[in-house]
mmCIF file of all heavy atoms in Angstrom:
data_model
loop_
_atom_site.group_PDB
_atom_site.id
_atom_site.type_symbol
_atom_site.label_atom_id
_atom_site.label_comp_id
_atom_site.label_asym_id
_atom_site.label_seq_id
_atom_site.Cartn_x
_atom_site.Cartn_y
_atom_site.Cartn_z
ATOM 1 N N ILE A 43 91.075 123.979 110.443
ATOM 2 C CA ILE A 43 90.307 122.840 110.847
ATOM 3 C C ILE A 43 90.588 122.625 112.367
ATOM 4 O O ILE A 43 91.644 122.719 112.848
ATOM 5 C CB ILE A 43 90.826 121.613 110.111
ATOM 6 C CG1 ILE A 43 90.574 121.767 108.622
ATOM 7 C CG2 ILE A 43 90.198 120.316 110.635
ATOM 8 C CD1 ILE A 43 91.142 120.582 107.783
ATOM 9 N N TRP A 120 92.530 106.676 109.770
ATOM 10 C CA TRP A 120 93.579 107.670 110.146
ATOM 11 C C TRP A 120 93.564 107.895 111.672
ATOM 12 O O TRP A 120 94.553 108.474 112.209
ATOM 13 C CB TRP A 120 93.308 108.989 109.466
ATOM 14 C CG TRP A 120 93.986 109.068 108.166
ATOM 15 C CD1 TRP A 120 93.878 108.226 107.063
ATOM 16 C CD2 TRP A 120 94.740 110.109 107.730
ATOM 17 N NE1 TRP A 120 94.625 108.684 106.039
ATOM 18 C CE2 TRP A 120 95.203 109.869 106.360
ATOM 19 C CE3 TRP A 120 95.273 111.281 108.255
ATOM 20 C CZ2 TRP A 120 96.049 110.741 105.595
ATOM 21 C CZ3 TRP A 120 96.116 112.160 107.545
ATOM 22 C CH2 TRP A 120 96.491 111.840 106.229
ATOM 23 N N SER A 151 94.303 105.605 99.890
ATOM 24 C CA SER A 151 94.957 106.723 99.288
ATOM 25 C C SER A 151 95.546 106.493 97.956
ATOM 26 O O SER A 151 95.404 107.170 97.044
ATOM 27 C CB SER A 151 95.973 107.349 100.235
ATOM 28 O OG SER A 151 95.550 107.315 101.530
ATOM 29 N N PHE A 190 99.193 116.418 86.937
ATOM 30 C CA PHE A 190 97.911 115.590 86.678
ATOM 31 C C PHE A 190 97.157 115.529 88.027
ATOM 32 O O PHE A 190 97.651 114.913 88.966
ATOM 33 C CB PHE A 190 98.265 114.267 86.109
ATOM 34 C CG PHE A 190 98.856 114.352 84.768
ATOM 35 C CD1 PHE A 190 100.242 114.567 84.505
ATOM 36 C CD2 PHE A 190 98.007 114.317 83.618
ATOM 37 C CE1 PHE A 190 100.715 114.708 83.230
ATOM 38 C CE2 PHE A 190 98.492 114.392 82.316
ATOM 39 C CZ PHE A 190 99.911 114.601 82.051
ATOM 40 N N GLY A 191 95.940 115.985 88.137
ATOM 41 C CA GLY A 191 95.231 116.058 89.342
ATOM 42 C C GLY A 191 95.544 117.223 90.206
ATOM 43 O O GLY A 191 95.151 117.353 91.374
ATOM 44 N N GLY A 192 96.373 118.187 89.692
ATOM 45 C CA GLY A 192 96.769 119.406 90.339
ATOM 46 C C GLY A 192 97.673 119.265 91.504
ATOM 47 O O GLY A 192 98.242 118.193 91.740
ATOM 48 N N ASN A 194 97.165 120.574 95.423
ATOM 49 C CA ASN A 194 96.017 121.115 96.106
ATOM 50 C C ASN A 194 96.370 121.606 97.476
ATOM 51 O O ASN A 194 96.590 120.830 98.393
ATOM 52 C CB ASN A 194 95.023 119.917 96.238
ATOM 53 C CG ASN A 194 93.654 120.386 95.787
ATOM 54 O OD1 ASN A 194 93.134 121.326 96.220
ATOM 55 N ND2 ASN A 194 93.107 119.666 94.745
ATOM 56 N N LYS A 196 94.497 122.801 99.701
ATOM 57 C CA LYS A 196 93.520 122.293 100.578
ATOM 58 C C LYS A 196 93.961 120.945 101.192
ATOM 59 O O LYS A 196 93.741 120.678 102.358
ATOM 60 C CB LYS A 196 92.068 122.238 100.033
ATOM 61 C CG LYS A 196 91.813 121.044 99.208
ATOM 62 C CD LYS A 196 90.379 120.679 98.924
ATOM 63 C CE LYS A 196 90.147 119.771 97.784
ATOM 64 N NZ LYS A 196 90.604 118.416 97.988
ATOM 65 N N ASN A 197 94.518 120.109 100.355
ATOM 66 C CA ASN A 197 94.926 118.706 100.798
ATOM 67 C C ASN A 197 96.244 118.792 101.620
ATOM 68 O O ASN A 197 96.465 117.969 102.519
ATOM 69 C CB ASN A 197 95.089 117.823 99.679
ATOM 70 C CG ASN A 197 93.795 117.424 99.021
ATOM 71 O OD1 ASN A 197 92.681 117.673 99.584
ATOM 72 N ND2 ASN A 197 93.774 116.729 97.939
ATOM 73 N N ALA A 198 97.051 119.691 101.310
ATOM 74 C CA ALA A 198 98.341 119.890 101.956
ATOM 75 C C ALA A 198 98.148 120.414 103.377
ATOM 76 O O ALA A 198 99.120 120.630 104.098
ATOM 77 C CB ALA A 198 99.276 120.729 101.169
ATOM 78 N N GLN A 199 96.973 120.698 103.801
ATOM 79 C CA GLN A 199 96.653 120.944 105.227
ATOM 80 C C GLN A 199 97.137 119.885 106.119
ATOM 81 O O GLN A 199 97.400 120.083 107.332
ATOM 82 C CB GLN A 199 95.172 121.292 105.434
ATOM 83 C CG GLN A 199 94.701 122.628 104.885
ATOM 84 C CD GLN A 199 93.193 122.735 105.097
ATOM 85 O OE1 GLN A 199 92.801 123.412 106.114
ATOM 86 N NE2 GLN A 199 92.407 122.206 104.362
ATOM 87 N N VAL A 200 97.110 118.619 105.662
ATOM 88 C CA VAL A 200 97.293 117.558 106.529
ATOM 89 C C VAL A 200 98.579 116.711 106.228
ATOM 90 O O VAL A 200 99.104 116.736 105.111
ATOM 91 C CB VAL A 200 96.153 116.576 106.555
ATOM 92 C CG1 VAL A 200 94.854 117.341 106.579
ATOM 93 C CG2 VAL A 200 96.103 115.624 105.299
ATOM 94 N N VAL A 227 96.383 119.811 85.011
ATOM 95 C CA VAL A 227 95.627 118.904 84.135
ATOM 96 C C VAL A 227 94.640 118.257 84.994
ATOM 97 O O VAL A 227 94.953 117.306 85.726
ATOM 98 C CB VAL A 227 96.637 117.876 83.572
ATOM 99 C CG1 VAL A 227 95.862 117.031 82.528
ATOM 100 C CG2 VAL A 227 97.846 118.471 82.930
ATOM 101 N N SER A 228 93.464 118.763 85.021
ATOM 102 C CA SER A 228 92.455 118.336 86.011
ATOM 103 C C SER A 228 91.041 118.856 85.615
ATOM 104 O O SER A 228 90.921 119.922 85.071
ATOM 105 C CB SER A 228 92.788 118.890 87.457
ATOM 106 O OG SER A 228 91.766 118.681 88.303
ATOM 107 N N PRO A 229 89.998 118.137 85.955
ATOM 108 C CA PRO A 229 88.623 118.550 85.587
ATOM 109 C C PRO A 229 88.234 119.793 86.495
ATOM 110 O O PRO A 229 87.367 120.500 86.169
ATOM 111 C CB PRO A 229 87.767 117.414 85.982
ATOM 112 C CG PRO A 229 88.578 116.419 86.730
ATOM 113 C CD PRO A 229 90.019 116.717 86.430
ATOM 114 N N ILE A 230 89.011 120.074 87.525
ATOM 115 C CA ILE A 230 88.644 121.159 88.379
ATOM 116 C C ILE A 230 89.770 122.231 88.476
ATOM 117 O O ILE A 230 90.915 121.986 88.707
ATOM 118 C CB ILE A 230 88.378 120.596 89.883
ATOM 119 C CG1 ILE A 230 87.145 119.618 89.770
ATOM 120 C CG2 ILE A 230 88.046 121.774 90.821
ATOM 121 C CD1 ILE A 230 86.658 119.102 91.100
ATOM 122 N N ASP A 233 92.136 122.994 91.662
ATOM 123 C CA ASP A 233 93.030 122.019 92.090
ATOM 124 C C ASP A 233 94.453 122.519 92.113
ATOM 125 O O ASP A 233 95.419 121.916 92.614
ATOM 126 C CB ASP A 233 93.012 120.729 91.276
ATOM 127 C CG ASP A 233 91.808 119.879 91.565
ATOM 128 O OD1 ASP A 233 91.274 120.057 92.670
ATOM 129 O OD2 ASP A 233 91.357 119.095 90.675
ATOM 130 N N LEU A 245 90.644 118.306 81.389
ATOM 131 C CA LEU A 245 90.356 116.986 80.697
ATOM 132 C C LEU A 245 89.139 116.303 81.395
ATOM 133 O O LEU A 245 88.813 116.597 82.585
ATOM 134 C CB LEU A 245 91.522 116.041 80.774
ATOM 135 C CG LEU A 245 91.889 115.239 81.906
ATOM 136 C CD1 LEU A 245 93.124 114.393 81.679
ATOM 137 C CD2 LEU A 245 92.030 116.006 83.202
ATOM 138 N N ARG A 246 88.521 115.362 80.779
ATOM 139 C CA ARG A 246 87.479 114.501 81.327
ATOM 140 C C ARG A 246 88.202 113.654 82.421
ATOM 141 O O ARG A 246 89.303 113.153 82.225
ATOM 142 C CB ARG A 246 86.866 113.517 80.295
ATOM 143 C CG ARG A 246 86.028 114.311 79.398
ATOM 144 C CD ARG A 246 85.452 113.235 78.375
ATOM 145 N NE ARG A 246 84.432 113.879 77.523
ATOM 146 C CZ ARG A 246 84.297 113.555 76.293
ATOM 147 N NH1 ARG A 246 85.176 112.670 75.695
ATOM 148 N NH2 ARG A 246 83.316 114.089 75.524
ATOM 149 N N PRO A 247 87.480 113.461 83.543
ATOM 150 C CA PRO A 247 88.057 112.521 84.563
ATOM 151 C C PRO A 247 88.437 111.232 83.999
ATOM 152 O O PRO A 247 87.772 110.681 83.063
ATOM 153 C CB PRO A 247 86.950 112.447 85.600
ATOM 154 C CG PRO A 247 86.124 113.610 85.416
ATOM 155 C CD PRO A 247 86.169 113.953 83.964
ATOM 156 N N ASN A 248 89.462 110.572 84.528
ATOM 157 C CA ASN A 248 89.905 109.244 84.180
ATOM 158 C C ASN A 248 90.491 109.052 82.862
ATOM 159 O O ASN A 248 90.619 107.969 82.242
ATOM 160 C CB ASN A 248 88.734 108.178 84.303
ATOM 161 C CG ASN A 248 88.344 107.921 85.733
ATOM 162 O OD1 ASN A 248 87.539 107.031 86.041
ATOM 163 N ND2 ASN A 248 88.699 108.786 86.716
ATOM 164 N N THR A 249 90.869 110.249 82.146
ATOM 165 C CA THR A 249 91.382 110.111 80.810
ATOM 166 C C THR A 249 92.826 110.574 80.773
ATOM 167 O O THR A 249 93.376 110.825 79.686
ATOM 168 C CB THR A 249 90.610 110.948 79.829
ATOM 169 O OG1 THR A 249 90.659 112.342 80.116
ATOM 170 C CG2 THR A 249 89.094 110.525 79.758
ATOM 171 N N ASP A 250 93.532 110.659 81.937
ATOM 172 C CA ASP A 250 94.920 111.105 81.944
ATOM 173 C C ASP A 250 95.829 110.242 81.084
ATOM 174 O O ASP A 250 96.707 110.752 80.449
ATOM 175 C CB ASP A 250 95.462 110.989 83.400
ATOM 176 C CG ASP A 250 94.601 111.916 84.350
ATOM 177 O OD1 ASP A 250 93.485 111.478 84.755
ATOM 178 O OD2 ASP A 250 95.047 113.022 84.579
ATOM 179 N N SER A 328 99.240 113.308 91.059
ATOM 180 C CA SER A 328 98.479 113.317 92.344
ATOM 181 C C SER A 328 97.937 111.899 92.563
ATOM 182 O O SER A 328 97.783 111.098 91.708
ATOM 183 C CB SER A 328 97.411 114.387 92.332
ATOM 184 O OG SER A 328 96.218 113.758 91.927
ATOM 185 N N TRP A 329 97.665 111.637 93.839
ATOM 186 C CA TRP A 329 97.098 110.269 94.196
ATOM 187 C C TRP A 329 95.793 110.117 93.654
ATOM 188 O O TRP A 329 95.304 108.961 93.316
ATOM 189 C CB TRP A 329 97.096 110.128 95.698
ATOM 190 C CG TRP A 329 98.433 110.180 96.364
ATOM 191 C CD1 TRP A 329 99.670 109.950 95.768
ATOM 192 C CD2 TRP A 329 98.741 110.455 97.772
ATOM 193 N NE1 TRP A 329 100.627 110.058 96.745
ATOM 194 C CE2 TRP A 329 100.143 110.369 97.891
ATOM 195 C CE3 TRP A 329 97.990 110.862 98.793
ATOM 196 C CZ2 TRP A 329 100.796 110.580 99.177
ATOM 197 C CZ3 TRP A 329 98.587 111.108 100.066
ATOM 198 C CH2 TRP A 329 99.993 110.976 100.197
ATOM 199 N N SER A 330 95.029 111.173 93.413
ATOM 200 C CA SER A 330 93.610 111.077 92.977
ATOM 201 C C SER A 330 93.523 110.394 91.594
ATOM 202 O O SER A 330 92.536 109.627 91.392
ATOM 203 C CB SER A 330 93.002 112.525 92.883
ATOM 204 O OG SER A 330 93.683 113.273 91.923
ATOM 205 N N ILE A 331 94.502 110.598 90.736
ATOM 206 C CA ILE A 331 94.357 110.022 89.408
ATOM 207 C C ILE A 331 94.482 108.561 89.347
ATOM 208 O O ILE A 331 94.037 107.911 88.399
ATOM 209 C CB ILE A 331 95.359 110.637 88.417
ATOM 210 C CG1 ILE A 331 96.771 110.337 88.798
ATOM 211 C CG2 ILE A 331 95.225 112.193 88.299
ATOM 212 C CD1 ILE A 331 97.884 110.703 87.720
ATOM 213 N N ARG A 333 93.009 106.717 91.922
ATOM 214 C CA ARG A 333 91.866 106.177 92.669
ATOM 215 C C ARG A 333 90.666 106.003 91.684
ATOM 216 O O ARG A 333 89.506 106.454 91.959
ATOM 217 C CB ARG A 333 91.464 106.982 93.806
ATOM 218 C CG ARG A 333 92.362 106.763 95.032
ATOM 219 C CD ARG A 333 91.763 107.199 96.359
ATOM 220 N NE ARG A 333 91.296 108.490 96.395
ATOM 221 C CZ ARG A 333 92.088 109.545 96.474
ATOM 222 N NH1 ARG A 333 93.349 109.415 96.592
ATOM 223 N NH2 ARG A 333 91.657 110.742 96.520
ATOM 224 N N CYS A 367 99.488 116.508 97.935
ATOM 225 C CA CYS A 367 98.449 115.650 98.516
ATOM 226 C C CYS A 367 98.517 115.664 99.979
ATOM 227 O O CYS A 367 97.516 115.470 100.668
ATOM 228 C CB CYS A 367 98.582 114.184 97.953
ATOM 229 S SG CYS A 367 98.292 114.020 96.214
ATOM 230 N N CYS A 368 99.668 115.792 100.523
ATOM 231 C CA CYS A 368 99.911 115.911 101.974
ATOM 232 C C CYS A 368 101.123 116.866 102.103
ATOM 233 O O CYS A 368 101.976 116.988 101.234
ATOM 234 C CB CYS A 368 100.174 114.559 102.693
ATOM 235 S SG CYS A 368 98.687 113.602 102.987
ATOM 236 N N ILE A 635 83.134 113.638 91.061
ATOM 237 C CA ILE A 635 84.516 113.663 91.729
ATOM 238 C C ILE A 635 84.193 113.681 93.267
ATOM 239 O O ILE A 635 83.720 114.703 93.701
ATOM 240 C CB ILE A 635 85.301 114.981 91.248
ATOM 241 C CG1 ILE A 635 85.541 114.884 89.753
ATOM 242 C CG2 ILE A 635 86.571 115.070 92.095
ATOM 243 C CD1 ILE A 635 86.610 113.926 89.363
ATOM 244 N N SER A 636 84.512 112.684 93.907
ATOM 245 C CA SER A 636 84.380 112.658 95.389
ATOM 246 C C SER A 636 85.795 112.868 95.994
ATOM 247 O O SER A 636 86.501 111.904 96.331
ATOM 248 C CB SER A 636 83.773 111.374 95.839
ATOM 249 O OG SER A 636 84.397 110.238 95.368
ATOM 250 N N SER A 637 86.206 114.183 96.076
ATOM 251 C CA SER A 637 87.464 114.444 96.570
ATOM 252 C C SER A 637 87.533 114.720 97.967
ATOM 253 O O SER A 637 86.539 114.653 98.693
ATOM 254 C CB SER A 637 88.015 115.675 95.739
ATOM 255 O OG SER A 637 87.040 116.699 95.667
ATOM 256 N N GLN A 638 88.739 115.098 98.501
ATOM 257 C CA GLN A 638 88.861 115.317 99.979
ATOM 258 C C GLN A 638 88.325 116.582 100.387
ATOM 259 O O GLN A 638 88.467 117.650 99.659
ATOM 260 C CB GLN A 638 90.400 115.245 100.340
ATOM 261 C CG GLN A 638 91.166 114.067 99.749
ATOM 262 C CD GLN A 638 90.840 112.748 100.324
ATOM 263 O OE1 GLN A 638 90.319 112.720 101.454
ATOM 264 N NE2 GLN A 638 91.016 111.713 99.644
ATOM 265 N N PRO A 639 87.721 116.672 101.555
ATOM 266 C CA PRO A 639 87.084 117.968 102.016
ATOM 267 C C PRO A 639 88.043 118.979 102.460
ATOM 268 O O PRO A 639 89.046 118.591 103.115
ATOM 269 C CB PRO A 639 86.265 117.424 103.171
ATOM 270 C CG PRO A 639 86.947 116.223 103.669
ATOM 271 C CD PRO A 639 87.531 115.616 102.480
ATOM 272 N N ALA A 640 87.831 120.256 102.168
ATOM 273 C CA ALA A 640 88.706 121.309 102.556
ATOM 274 C C ALA A 640 88.613 121.664 103.993
ATOM 275 O O ALA A 640 89.528 122.091 104.672
ATOM 276 C CB ALA A 640 88.437 122.591 101.695
ATOM 277 N N VAL A 641 87.387 121.428 104.541
ATOM 278 C CA VAL A 641 87.043 121.919 105.917
ATOM 279 C C VAL A 641 87.119 120.873 107.000
ATOM 280 O O VAL A 641 86.693 121.128 108.151
ATOM 281 C CB VAL A 641 85.695 122.537 105.937
ATOM 282 C CG1 VAL A 641 85.612 123.817 105.101
ATOM 283 C CG2 VAL A 641 84.631 121.538 105.485
ATOM 284 N N ARG A 642 87.707 119.700 106.714
ATOM 285 C CA ARG A 642 87.771 118.651 107.718
ATOM 286 C C ARG A 642 88.744 117.615 107.232
ATOM 287 O O ARG A 642 89.194 117.689 106.030
ATOM 288 C CB ARG A 642 86.426 118.033 108.120
ATOM 289 C CG ARG A 642 85.729 117.494 106.978
ATOM 290 C CD ARG A 642 84.303 116.862 107.332
ATOM 291 N NE ARG A 642 83.854 116.325 106.039
ATOM 292 C CZ ARG A 642 83.034 116.958 105.195
ATOM 293 N NH1 ARG A 642 82.543 118.138 105.548
ATOM 294 N NH2 ARG A 642 82.712 116.505 104.038
ATOM 295 N N LEU A 643 89.038 116.583 108.062
ATOM 296 C CA LEU A 643 89.724 115.494 107.587
ATOM 297 C C LEU A 643 88.816 114.331 107.474
ATOM 298 O O LEU A 643 88.252 113.908 108.540
ATOM 299 C CB LEU A 643 90.913 115.113 108.614
ATOM 300 C CG LEU A 643 91.672 113.901 108.290
ATOM 301 C CD1 LEU A 643 92.626 114.030 107.153
ATOM 302 C CD2 LEU A 643 92.457 113.407 109.528
ATOM 303 N N HIS A 644 88.605 113.890 106.318
ATOM 304 C CA HIS A 644 87.640 112.838 106.008
ATOM 305 C C HIS A 644 86.325 113.020 106.683
ATOM 306 O O HIS A 644 85.739 114.125 106.559
ATOM 307 C CB HIS A 644 88.183 111.438 106.445
ATOM 308 C CG HIS A 644 89.722 111.283 105.920
ATOM 309 N ND1 HIS A 644 90.653 110.757 106.694
ATOM 310 C CD2 HIS A 644 90.313 111.540 104.751
ATOM 311 C CE1 HIS A 644 91.835 110.707 105.975
ATOM 312 N NE2 HIS A 644 91.503 111.168 104.851
ATOM 313 N N GLN A 707 81.159 117.812 91.756
ATOM 314 C CA GLN A 707 82.170 117.535 92.825
ATOM 315 C C GLN A 707 81.442 117.527 94.157
ATOM 316 O O GLN A 707 80.738 118.499 94.543
ATOM 317 C CB GLN A 707 83.280 118.564 92.797
ATOM 318 C CG GLN A 707 84.375 118.236 93.842
ATOM 319 C CD GLN A 707 84.143 119.091 95.144
ATOM 320 O OE1 GLN A 707 83.362 120.026 95.189
ATOM 321 N NE2 GLN A 707 84.807 118.553 96.178
ATOM 322 N N THR A 710 84.150 113.971 100.209
ATOM 323 C CA THR A 710 83.828 112.900 101.049
ATOM 324 C C THR A 710 83.695 113.421 102.519
ATOM 325 O O THR A 710 84.072 114.579 102.789
ATOM 326 C CB THR A 710 85.067 111.880 101.161
ATOM 327 O OG1 THR A 710 86.220 112.564 101.720
ATOM 328 C CG2 THR A 710 85.335 111.338 99.733
ATOM 329 N N MET A 750 86.845 107.420 92.055
ATOM 330 C CA MET A 750 86.801 108.492 91.151
ATOM 331 C C MET A 750 86.211 107.990 89.713
ATOM 332 O O MET A 750 86.135 108.883 88.820
ATOM 333 C CB MET A 750 88.225 109.134 90.863
ATOM 334 C CG MET A 750 88.831 109.706 92.115
ATOM 335 S SD MET A 750 87.911 111.311 92.662
ATOM 336 C CE MET A 750 89.081 111.843 93.916
HETATM 337 N N1 MGD B 2 91.811 119.015 104.021
HETATM 338 C C1 MGD B 2 91.972 117.753 103.845
HETATM 339 N N2 MGD B 2 93.160 117.358 103.226
HETATM 340 C C2 MGD B 2 93.376 116.065 102.959
HETATM 341 C C3 MGD B 2 92.449 115.073 103.355
HETATM 342 C C4 MGD B 2 91.262 115.464 103.947
HETATM 343 O O1 MGD B 2 90.359 114.587 104.215
HETATM 344 N N3 MGD B 2 90.997 116.741 104.174
HETATM 345 N N4 MGD B 2 92.803 113.704 103.143
HETATM 346 C C5 MGD B 2 94.156 113.294 102.924
HETATM 347 C C6 MGD B 2 94.305 112.066 102.280
HETATM 348 S S1 MGD B 2 93.966 110.633 103.245
HETATM 349 C C7 MGD B 2 94.726 111.775 101.054
HETATM 350 S S2 MGD B 2 94.922 110.267 100.442
HETATM 351 C C8 MGD B 2 95.078 113.051 100.153
HETATM 352 C C9 MGD B 2 94.513 112.774 98.786
HETATM 353 O O2 MGD B 2 95.010 113.642 97.858
HETATM 354 P P1 MGD B 2 94.409 113.621 96.383
HETATM 355 O O3 MGD B 2 94.195 112.315 95.939
HETATM 356 O O4 MGD B 2 95.220 114.597 95.529
HETATM 357 O O5 MGD B 2 93.001 114.435 96.668
HETATM 358 P P2 MGD B 2 91.575 114.609 96.125
HETATM 359 O O6 MGD B 2 91.024 115.850 96.813
HETATM 360 O O7 MGD B 2 90.827 113.408 96.277
HETATM 361 O O8 MGD B 2 91.715 114.896 94.577
HETATM 362 C C10 MGD B 2 92.434 116.035 94.094
HETATM 363 C C11 MGD B 2 91.793 116.384 92.769
HETATM 364 O O9 MGD B 2 92.040 115.429 91.805
HETATM 365 C C12 MGD B 2 91.196 115.729 90.717
HETATM 366 N N5 MGD B 2 90.854 114.427 89.980
HETATM 367 C C13 MGD B 2 89.987 113.459 90.336
HETATM 368 N N6 MGD B 2 90.007 112.450 89.457
HETATM 369 C C14 MGD B 2 90.791 112.866 88.496
HETATM 370 C C15 MGD B 2 91.246 112.271 87.265
HETATM 371 O O10 MGD B 2 90.801 111.181 86.841
HETATM 372 N N7 MGD B 2 92.185 112.917 86.561
HETATM 373 C C16 MGD B 2 92.662 114.074 86.903
HETATM 374 N N8 MGD B 2 93.624 114.691 86.193
HETATM 375 N N9 MGD B 2 92.283 114.740 88.042
HETATM 376 C C17 MGD B 2 91.381 114.094 88.845
HETATM 377 C C18 MGD B 2 89.962 116.306 91.308
HETATM 378 O O11 MGD B 2 89.562 117.455 90.574
HETATM 379 C C19 MGD B 2 90.316 116.602 92.655
HETATM 380 O O12 MGD B 2 89.950 117.848 93.170
HETATM 381 O O13 MGD B 2 94.552 114.197 100.758
HETATM 382 C C20 MGD B 2 94.924 114.343 102.032
HETATM 383 N N10 MGD B 2 94.591 115.735 102.382
#
Side-chain angles (χ1 to χ4, degrees):
I43 297 176
W120 273 53
S151 318
F190 292 87
N194 232 302
K196 80 165 165 64
N197 288 350
Q199 286 178 96
V200 316
V227 188
S228 170
I230 299 186
D233 285 338
L245 83 179
R246 285 177 175 144
N248 292 191
T249 64
D250 301 80
S328 91
W329 297 339
S330 59
I331 62 171
R333 281 202 305 285
C367 294
C368 278
I635 297 289
S636 52
S637 45
Q638 312 290 337
V641 291
R642 57 181 181 263
L643 175 72
H644 312 137
Q707 184 267 339
T710 63
M750 296 292 188

